[in-house]
Structures are given as structure tokens and as C-alpha cells.
């Protein structure tokens, strides 16, 4: 899903939470909103690692060509996993929620991340691309250490 849609839905989600809990600390609302799209920063990290360029535009180009390649594989019936996105893993979500026991503000970041990941999953299921992502950090680790 494109960042602009994550920002849009993230804003709606933040407003809904605000409507449910009007007394909520605005700082927490801000964190929730930012987390609902900044989790995609891992996509930028992946692009920088592949292109060796810091430019955000180059990162967008990278994903455009990656999407084309993925589309071609899909047409050929190939179901390959795409890039690895560390912030989108189940383990990273658990790590943040566990840390929130000690640092309560992290709970709002966790909520934004979960909302983001649910949108990603819905979008991928709708486009029949659920298989493209590695959802578990330890699966990824096992694979790279055995290859
Ligand atoms: Zn995402």
C-alpha cells in the first residue's frame, strides 16, 4: 500500500481513537499517527541497501521496478517472497509491546504499527500477494543463515 494511503487511513484511525478517548494525551495521538506510516521506513532502508543511494526518489524508483518484476513473476505463476521488512515482522511488534510495559508511550506506537500491518495484510490479500512477505524475523534469519 502506498505511503499516502497509510497517512490517510492513519489520520482517520487517530481521529477515531481521539473520539473514543477524548482525554487522551495529544502526544500519544501524535505517536500513534506517526507510527501508522513511519513503520514503512524499513522499505527505505531496504532500497538504500540495494541501490546504495540515499535519495527517496531513487527508493520510489526501486520499488516501481521491483513491482514490475514481481508482476512478471506473478504472471508466470511464480510465487516468490519479496524484500525483508524488519519493522513489519511479528517479532518486532512483540518487542515493542513488551517494551511498552516499561515505557508506556510505546504502546501507542505499537497500536499504530498494528493498524498499519493490518492494512498491509488486507491490501496484499486483496491483490493476491500475501505470499510476498516474510512475516517472521526468525524465519528470515534461518533462511539467510542456511543460504
Ligand atoms: Zn507497510
Amino acid at each position: 500500500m502506498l505511503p499516502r494511503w497509510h497517512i490517510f487511513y492513519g489520520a482517520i484511525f487517530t481521529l477515531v481513537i481521539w473520539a473514543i478517548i477524548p482525554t487522551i494525551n495529544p502526544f500519544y495521538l501524535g505517536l500513534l499517527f506517526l507510527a501508522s506510516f513511519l513503520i514503512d521506513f524499513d522499505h527505505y532502508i531496504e532500497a538504500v541497501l540495494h541501490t546504495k543511494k540515499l535519495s527517496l526518489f531513487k527508493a520510489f524508483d526501486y520499488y516501481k521496478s521491483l513491482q514490475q518484476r514481481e508482476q512478471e513473476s506473478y504472471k508466470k505463476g511464480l510465487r516468490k517472497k519479496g524484500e525483508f521488512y524488519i519493522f513489519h515482522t511479528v517479532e518486532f511488534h512483540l518487542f515493542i509491546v513488551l517494551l511498552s510495559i516499561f515505557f508506556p508511550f510505546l504502546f501507542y506506537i505499537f497500536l499504530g504499527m498494528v493498524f498499519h500491518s493490518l492494512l498491509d495484510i488486507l491490501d496484499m490479500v486483496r491483490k493476491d500477494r500475501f505470499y510476498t512477505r516474510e512475516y517472521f524475523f526468525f524465519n528470515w534469519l534461518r533462511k539467510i543463515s542456511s543460504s
Side-chain angles (χ1 to χ4, degrees):
M1 183 177 273
L2 290 169
R4 75 177 86 122
W5 289 112
H6 276 299
I7 294 172
F8 175 73
Y9 289 122
I12 290 176
F13 181 58
T14 306
L15 290 174
V16 168
I17 297 293
W18 193 20
I20 296 170
I21 318 164
T23 54
I24 191 170
N25 183 335
F27 172 67
Y28 291 157
L29 277 181
L31 288 179
L32 179 91
F33 174 58
L34 290 175
S36 75
F37 61 94
L38 289 182
I39 170 179
D40 272 343
F41 189 69
D42 55 5
H43 286 56
Y44 173 70
I45 296 171
E46 274 292 320
V48 170
L49 290 175
H50 282 91
T51 62
K52 314 270 184 262
K53 301 255 171 13
L54 289 173
S55 157
L56 195 60
F57 293 107
K58 287 265 185 270
F60 279 114
D61 286 346
Y62 174 73
Y63 282 108
K64 231 178 261 169
S65 73
L66 190 76
Q67 206 175 10
Q68 272 167 5
R69 273 180 282 148
E70 200 266 322
Q71 192 76 22
E72 281 156 25
S73 300
Y74 182 82
K75 279 184 195 150
K76 288 179 196 157
L78 298 170
R79 298 289 182 267
K80 287 191 283 189
K81 286 222 187 295
E83 305 294 343
F84 177 65
Y85 305 118
I86 189 149
F87 300 157
H88 287 67
T89 58
V90 170
E91 289 90 338
F92 191 74
H93 285 66
L94 290 176
F95 175 65
I96 296 298
V97 80
L98 284 176
L99 275 184
S100 77
I101 296 167
F102 309 102
F103 309 101
F105 73 92
L106 286 175
F107 184 72
Y108 298 90
I109 292 179
F110 169 74
L111 272 187
M113 287 168 55
V114 168
F115 179 72
H116 176 108
S117 293
L118 288 176
L119 281 183
D120 271 358
I121 289 170
L122 283 176
D123 191 51
M124 287 186 292
V125 167
R126 195 171 58 88
K127 293 175 179 159
D128 191 25
R129 294 296 193 280
F130 187 72
Y131 63 87
T132 57
R133 191 167 284 179
E134 176 55 74
Y135 298 91
F136 296 94
F137 173 74
F138 288 107
N139 271 353
W140 172 77
L141 202 63
R142 204 176 312 132
K143 270 178 219 152
I144 60 157
S145 57
S146 66
S147 63

